Amino acid sequence: MFSKILIANRGEIAVRIIKTARRLGIRTVAVYSRVDRDALHVALADEAVFLGAAPATESYLDIGKVVAAALASGAEAIHPGYGFLSENPDFVDAVGKASLTFIGPDAASIRAMGLKDAAKRLMEEAGVPVVPGYHGDNQDAAFLKLEAGKIGYPVLIKASAGGGGKGMRRVNAEDDFDVALQSCRREAKSAFGDERVLIEKYISSPRHIEVQVFGDGQGNVVHLFERDCSLQRRHQKVVEEAPAPGMTDAVRAAMVEAAVSVAKAVAYRGAGTVEFIADGSGPLRQDGFWFMEMNTRLQVEHPVTEMVTGFDLIEWQLRVAAGEPLPVQQDEIRLLGHAAEARLYAEDPANGFLPQAGRIDHLEFGSGEGIRVDAGVRAGDQVSPYYDPMIAKVIAHGKSRDEAIDRLKNALDGTHITGLTSNRDFLRALCRDEIFRQGRMDTGLIERSMDSLVARPDVPEEAILIAALAASGLDPSGPHCGFRLWGEVSHRVAMHAGEEIIERRIVSGGGRVRLSGGNEEVLLEEIAFDGRTFSARLVRENGSDRVLARLVVDVHGGERRISVLLDGETYAFERPDPLEGEDAAHHHSGEILAPMTGIVRLVDVGAGVAVKAGDRLVVMEAMKMEYTLRSPRDGLVDAVFCIEGGQAEGGAVLIRITEERLDG
């Protein structure tokens, strides 16, 4: 076994490899770009080597720099993870020339399976079923159009060197073929440096089912059953599970036999995945699936296979690369229940799934029986615009499919991320989708159901109450919160919830906090507060009660942002800057609030005084700086609730102005 390995990757897969290596007593060397200097994988590794600037071409994709880092650190082998250089045969050759071991298949296997057209010709020769289509060398546009007509529309144009959904176009009619081909070639050239394409019959209700295979290079190849990856968006996997819903023993036997044949055809060594497209218009059939491609690396979704078999695939990779045979025979591999994985990304589903970059202010994952989280970031880390915006993979295992999906949803319910937008709520909606729950999905399910999957619920009064407390700056569990000699204290709070301005009044005293101003009144009791999060029992007017989840208050970039996690849903609020004059939301109520806790240094007006918009009303001091509060409009001062030299809590009402006209 190796004593030291270098990991030529970043993020959660680098962290995942480090954990297995540490368990086996293997030292690890991380590599990092300039923006990853403080990344989690760098902190966890035994050593770290700087590669270069943030762009991957200047760091993680630079073969010379990666090999040099391995040699300088004394590593004996390189684990590529997935992505980056993991399927680059030139990298494998460079690793071998440096007398290092590549933890993966040999360059010949990668080359054989790397081009889709060549791989499919190889599979046809091996007797493995392939999707009807043209996989030849003739790339003349007119010829390809003729072949598409022979196959029958709709067809799929795919980049021969493609992957990840790039360089792929569906064509429904002959008139659309030329434009689609040109577009596909441009994208393929940009993404892979190779504009060659193949043409395939488009399966109208496709399911994406793949088989995990493993070879030791000594003639032994096993499978670890199948995974269903049909929940996709624009050919990108979103949720994966094992085993595949509706899989029969007969279909599984045919599919895994084909997958093992693929691996044996290239004398495969290491972890690989053989991907099939299946007809999802009805029950799975032995003659209803076709070879699509082979990924000659570890897959992102490998944890679901680990959960249902009990084996550590990275440990297998390390042992096989070190020259050991496979640790088990095929008849020793059993299916143990069901597992499902959701990919948690920093992206905005409501805005076209645009990737989000920025700081993660708070990160907490849901937990429970059968839950595993593979994360590559921590609270305080930056999600860089240079790389894949994955935050983590949340994996759930159960005795049945329903139990696994229920546990996955519960883990997502308890996951709280603030500082940037994530797809957490979108993933929760998928877990509730009726078609998915019934196992009747295909690769088009997400697109067909997009409106319901990205829909957001109305903001409940309970969430507004908690956010209002946060915006007020009050410690609801503090012994002096709301203390007054003659009763309770009232605070008026305004917040933004998206485009909506919400205003409520908080009344506190006697260890109780209630909220009024909406359609109903709610009450908090049994409040526990630790300075950043709190829990409480919430009581409705009708007498029913329930326990709230948690609240996280984030102050970042000079703006107070509040994120409430309640019953699995997250609700985002923002406290407007009360110093922005007419733009401040609370000014519309006529109440001038203290923008922060501080000392009132000057009061310029008294009750009954007429004021005009922009007139100075109060000057406060906090943190050795003065803040001038001005009137948002013309009117009369109805009441003054502060005195010079006195202290005012943030959110407290200082002045109330009526809308009475000055000339009236």
Side-chain angles (χ1 to χ4, degrees):
M1 181 55 71
F2 309 111
S3 60
K4 182 188 287 189
I5 65 171
L6 180 138
I7 302 167
N9 219 295
R10 65 181 300 280
E12 65 85 18
I13 187 57
V15 172
R16 168 75 184 86
I17 296 166
I18 289 170
K19 290 180 179 179
T20 289
R22 180 177 294 163
R23 179 172 60 80
L24 297 176
I26 302 171
R27 292 179 60 80
T28 55
V29 181
V31 292
Y32 63 94
S33 69
R34 184 167 289 113
V35 296
D36 278 343
R37 187 179 303 276
D38 299 318
L40 180 59
H41 75 282
V42 175
L44 292 178
D46 296 296
E47 304 173 37
V49 178
F50 175 66
L51 290 181
T57 53
E58 300 179 42
S59 50
Y60 297 106
L61 287 175
D62 191 315
I63 293 175
K65 288 181 179 179
V66 172
V67 172
L71 292 172
S73 65
E76 304 157 80
I78 296 178
H79 196 306
Y82 54 73
F84 289 140
L85 296 170
S86 63
E87 293 183 283
N88 187 323
D90 295 335
F91 178 53
V92 180
D93 287 338
V95 171
K97 288 178 182 177
S99 298
L100 300 169
T101 299
F102 181 76
I103 302 174
D106 58 33
S109 295
I110 295 176
R111 286 191 173 97
M113 305 308 295
L115 293 176
K116 289 181 171 61
D117 51 359
K120 290 185 178 181
R121 288 196 296 271
L122 180 63
M123 292 307 100
E124 287 176 323
E125 295 171 4
V128 176
V130 299
V131 178
Y134 176 74
H135 311 125
D137 294 326
N138 191 334
Q139 293 291 300
D140 178 74
F143 176 82
L144 292 174
K145 187 173 184 178
L146 182 63
E147 290 298 311
K150 293 178 182 179
I151 297 167
Y153 291 94
V155 299
L156 198 62
I157 307 176
K158 300 173 67 174
S160 295
K166 296 182 178 66
M168 189 179 297
R169 297 291 186 276
R170 173 183 172 175
V171 186
N172 294 319
E174 183 178 15
D175 291 344
D176 302 326
F177 185 85
D178 294 333
V179 173
L181 176 62
Q182 294 169 9
S183 175
C184 187
R185 280 177 163 169
R186 285 193 301 270
E187 188 170 285
K189 181 69 174 179
S190 174
F192 313 112
D194 188 340
E195 68 176 12
R196 288 177 296 167
V197 301
L198 54 88
I199 313 294
E200 289 182 347
K201 177 66 178 175
Y202 180 80
I203 309 301
S204 59
S205 297
R207 285 181 62 179
H208 183 133
I209 301 176
E210 59 190 33
V211 176
Q212 177 72 63
V213 294
F214 219 106
D216 60 11
Q218 301 178 30
N220 303 308
V221 177
V222 298
H223 70 81
L224 292 93
F225 302 102
E226 80 281 353
R227 297 184 290 257
D228 194 308
C229 306
S230 298
L231 277 185
Q232 301 181 9
R233 187 190 64 80
R234 297 176 186 171
H235 307 292
Q236 296 280 355
K237 299 169 187 176
V238 177
V239 173
E240 304 98 345
E241 57 182 308
M247 179 62 71
T248 66
D249 291 341
V251 176
R252 176 177 290 128
M255 191 174 286
V256 299
E257 180 183 359
V260 171
S261 297
V262 171
K264 287 183 175 179
V266 293
Y268 198 74
R269 182 191 70 211
T273 299
V274 181
E275 300 191 344
F276 297 96
I277 188 170
D279 183 358
S281 61
L284 294 172
R285 310 186 318 273
Q286 289 174 265
D287 62 349
F289 68 88
W290 304 272
F291 172 81
M292 187 164 56
E293 63 181 325
M294 182 178 185
N295 289 311
T296 52
R297 54 170 168 81
L298 197 69
Q299 293 281 91
V300 177
E301 58 271 20
H302 77 273
V304 295
T305 295
E306 294 182 327
M307 297 287 266
V308 297
T309 62
F311 297 114
D312 184 332
L313 296 187
I314 290 177
E315 179 180 346
W316 282 25
Q317 285 185 300
L318 293 168
R319 293 192 180 283
V320 165
E324 298 181 23
L326 287 174
V328 298
Q329 300 296 316
Q330 186 65 66
D331 60 4
E332 299 176 83
I333 304 174
R334 300 275 193 273
L335 265 177
L336 310 170
H338 199 98
E341 171 186 294
R343 301 187 185 191
L344 189 62
Y345 278 98
E347 60 184 11
D348 186 357
N351 193 21
F353 291 86
L354 286 176
Q356 304 290 294
R359 184 179 186 271
I360 299 175
D361 294 328
H362 177 80
L363 179 60
E364 183 177 1
F365 296 107
S367 59
E369 185 177 357
I371 298 301
R372 164 179 163 180
V373 177
D374 286 9
V377 294
R378 307 152 293 185
D381 284 352
Q382 294 281 338
V383 174
S384 168
Y386 291 99
Y387 315 115
D388 186 272
M390 179 181 285
I391 295 171
K393 300 180 301 193
V394 181
I395 311 105
H397 180 264
K399 295 178 181 178
S400 66
R401 183 172 187 267
D402 283 343
E403 184 175 63
I405 295 174
D406 286 342
R407 287 178 172 179
L408 178 60
K409 179 186 174 298
N410 290 339
L412 291 168
D413 285 350
T415 296
H416 200 183
I417 306 167
T418 69
L420 43 69
T421 302
S422 79
N423 67 339
R424 188 203 74 108
D425 293 333
F426 170 77
L427 295 173
R428 292 178 60 251
L430 270 176
C431 289
R432 298 192 303 265
D433 183 85
E434 183 177 349
I435 295 177
F436 171 60
R437 294 301 301 241
Q438 294 173 358
R440 298 189 292 111
M441 66 283 185
D442 59 36
T443 58
L445 172 62
I446 288 179
E447 296 300 331
R448 293 193 302 270
S449 307
M450 189 63 72
D451 288 345
S452 63
L453 293 175
V454 300
R456 297 290 292 128
D458 293 334
V459 182
E461 284 295 304
E462 296 94 328
I464 295 174
L465 168 57
I466 298 180
L469 278 173
S472 72
L474 295 173
D475 176 353
S477 64
H480 304 299
C481 177
F483 174 76
R484 290 292 185 274
L485 290 176
W486 298 282
E488 299 173 319
V489 63
S490 173
H491 295 270
R492 189 80 176 179
V493 179
M495 301 170 295
H496 289 294
E499 298 298 321
E500 182 183 1
I501 296 174
I502 296 177
E503 293 187 346
R504 295 292 186 271
R505 183 178 294 281
I506 298 175
V507 182
S508 56
R512 295 153 60 94
V513 180
R514 72 176 188 271
L515 179 77
S516 60
N519 296 325
E520 58 186 314
E521 186 169 287
V522 291
L523 177 72
L524 283 182
E525 295 181 336
E526 302 172 15
I527 300 167
F529 184 71
D530 64 8
R532 184 169 176 80
T533 67
F534 76 76
S535 62
R537 188 168 69 91
L538 182 142
V539 183
R540 287 182 167 276
E541 279 190 325
N542 62 15
S544 64
D545 65 81
R546 60 179 173 174
V547 177
L548 292 174
R550 53 193 159 271
L551 159 76
V552 176
V553 181
D554 290 300
V555 180
H556 182 64
E559 298 175 347
R560 182 178 290 262
R561 297 195 302 237
I562 302 104
S563 177
V564 177
L565 178 63
L566 175 63
D567 295 337
E569 295 285 350
T570 51
Y571 303 95
F573 304 87
E574 183 173 322
R575 170 81 182 274
D577 185 349
L579 301 179
E580 291 181 350
E582 293 180 355
D583 292 331
H586 68 264
H587 284 177
H588 296 286
S589 70
E591 293 182 335
I592 310 302
L593 311 183
M596 77 302 265
T597 298
I599 305 298
V600 177
R601 289 303 183 195
L602 179 67
V603 179
D604 264 352
V605 295
V609 174
V611 294
K612 294 183 179 180
D615 284 354
R616 187 175 67 178
L617 305 176
V618 176
V619 176
M620 288 190 64
E621 180 185 304
M623 300 182 68
K624 299 182 180 179
M625 294 185 65
E626 286 192 350
Y627 300 85
T628 299
L629 306 183
R630 300 182 182 277
S631 177
R633 61 179 180 231
D634 296 350
L636 292 176
V637 175
D638 179 63
V640 177
F641 301 101
C642 57
I643 60 173
E644 292 182 0
Q647 180 170 315
E649 295 177 324
V653 179
L654 303 179
I655 306 284
R656 186 167 63 226
I657 299 173
T658 67
E659 296 184 4
E660 184 175 341
R661 293 178 58 85
L662 295 181
D663 58 3

